[in-house]
Amino acid sequence: MHIGIDSFVAEVTDPTTGHVVGPAERMEHLLEEITLAETSGLYSFGIGEHHRREYYDSAPPIILAAAAARTSRIRLGSAVKVLSADDPVRVFQQFATLDLISKGRIDLVVGRGSFTEAFPLFGLDLADYDSLFTEKLELLLRLRDEHEVTWSGRHRPPLVRQTVYPRPLQDPLPIWVGVGGTPESFARAGLLGLPLMIAIIGGEPRQFAPLVELYRRAGAQAGHPPEKLQVGLHVFGYVAESVQQAADTIYPGWHQMFSTISRERGFRAPTRGQFDATSGPDGAFFMGDPDTLADKISRVADQLGGVDRLSMQMTNPRLAHDDLLRGIELLGTEVAPRVARV
């Protein structure tokens, strides 16, 4: 199993000094994090996409280009690219160009995102949430797989014998589908034979086992070989020298982040008891010391019938930069080797 990092490039307030890290300083920190992820032996680093005040990742291809120029081995990608709110032609051109800059180290993970701000921002109707993604994914795959494309749909002007350049170094450019918890999304990815990236935000990871089986069954029925049907997990988490240190370090930011989401969506405010439960052996939050974390990753992979990739999301609005760097280092030098030995 490959282990990596995802980042939403959150605005951070240093928990000790109260210093609010500004956008320019946060970008500097982010590039340092990506460089450390590579030197620590991690497999990948992904950048999310949000159009909200508390995140600085609204233009992931630009961030990834800067990261590609500073690294030589680590794979880079989107986590996820909000395809519903963008033009598939431009998305393909941007990520094909990134693939050339990085010498073939790009993974394009596309999805609909967990927030809706992009829809009004780009003049889209939220009622078209599903049809936008379905149609744009179809076009993106056509652009990847065919050099001359004739296509028409509801949400974009048609293409008539159109060629799109540049072409990526990887042939084909890896395109993953990011999914939440709807069976239709899992089945669609399987029917298309696309690798799957599951965002596990709440509940218990083992609850996804029937959906993963649905994905694999749909892929097999469509004639896709098992090796094409890769499964990845995007999870929240943190690693420190001890379980208690990890919990004490990450809880304040966890509480702030999920309190904001709860207020927006009309949920009850999260509690420390919920944090402890979701951080436990069966919870969605992957937190602890290296042994605890490696054991949990391996156990969840078994519960889901095998996992090819796990990307840990350490975004936290009250996590000091040095603590984040230490977490990345431990994930690469301590957790990833333990998982590889299982």
Side-chain angles (χ1 to χ4, degrees), residues 303-318:
Q303 292 169 347
L304 299 183
V307 170
D308 300 280
R309 185 181 301 190
L310 183 138
S311 295
M312 182 171 292
Q313 165 62 268
M314 290 193 190
T315 291
N316 186 292
R318 291 194 174 273

Side-chain angles (χ1 to χ4, degrees), residues 106-268:
I106 294 298
D107 291 304
L108 174 53
V109 185
V110 297
R112 290 172 287 193
S114 57
F115 295 99
T116 61
E117 287 83 3
F119 286 83
L121 183 63
F122 296 108
L124 302 169
D125 189 342
L126 191 57
D128 295 327
Y129 182 80
D130 191 62
S131 64
L132 278 165
F133 181 74
T134 300
E135 180 177 296
K136 292 185 177 188
L137 178 59
E138 176 198 350
L139 177 54
L140 180 65
L141 294 173
R142 291 278 302 277
L143 294 168
R144 181 191 69 169
D145 297 336
E146 303 173 17
H147 282 241
E148 185 178 271
V149 175
T150 296
W151 175 93
S152 64
R154 285 181 51 208
H155 301 292
R156 189 197 186 283
L159 299 175
V160 180
R161 300 185 62 184
Q162 185 67 58
T163 53
V164 178
Y165 297 103
R167 307 305 298 181
L169 183 63
Q170 297 178 93
D171 185 16
L173 179 72
I175 296 177
W176 295 60
V177 177
V179 299
T182 62
E184 294 80 7
S185 296
F186 283 78
R188 175 169 53 206
L191 290 171
L192 293 171
L194 296 175
L196 189 73
M197 184 61 70
I198 307 169
I200 299 180
I201 299 174
E204 296 184 356
R206 61 186 174 188
Q207 295 173 329
F208 286 86
L211 294 173
V212 173
E213 174 58 29
L214 172 63
Y215 161 70
R216 291 178 171 136
R217 189 168 62 249
Q221 291 173 350
H224 300 296
E227 60 269 19
K228 285 190 65 176
L229 303 174
Q230 298 181 66
V231 174
L233 304 181
H234 164 97
V235 301
F236 282 92
Y238 183 68
V239 57
E241 276 78 4
S242 71
V243 174
Q244 190 63 51
Q245 182 183 352
D248 292 343
T249 300
I250 209 73
Y251 174 72
W254 179 93
H255 185 267
Q256 177 179 321
M257 185 166 51
F258 283 94
S259 292
T260 299
I261 295 173
S262 296
R263 283 194 302 270
E264 291 179 357
R265 302 184 180 182
F267 301 153
R268 298 181 65 178

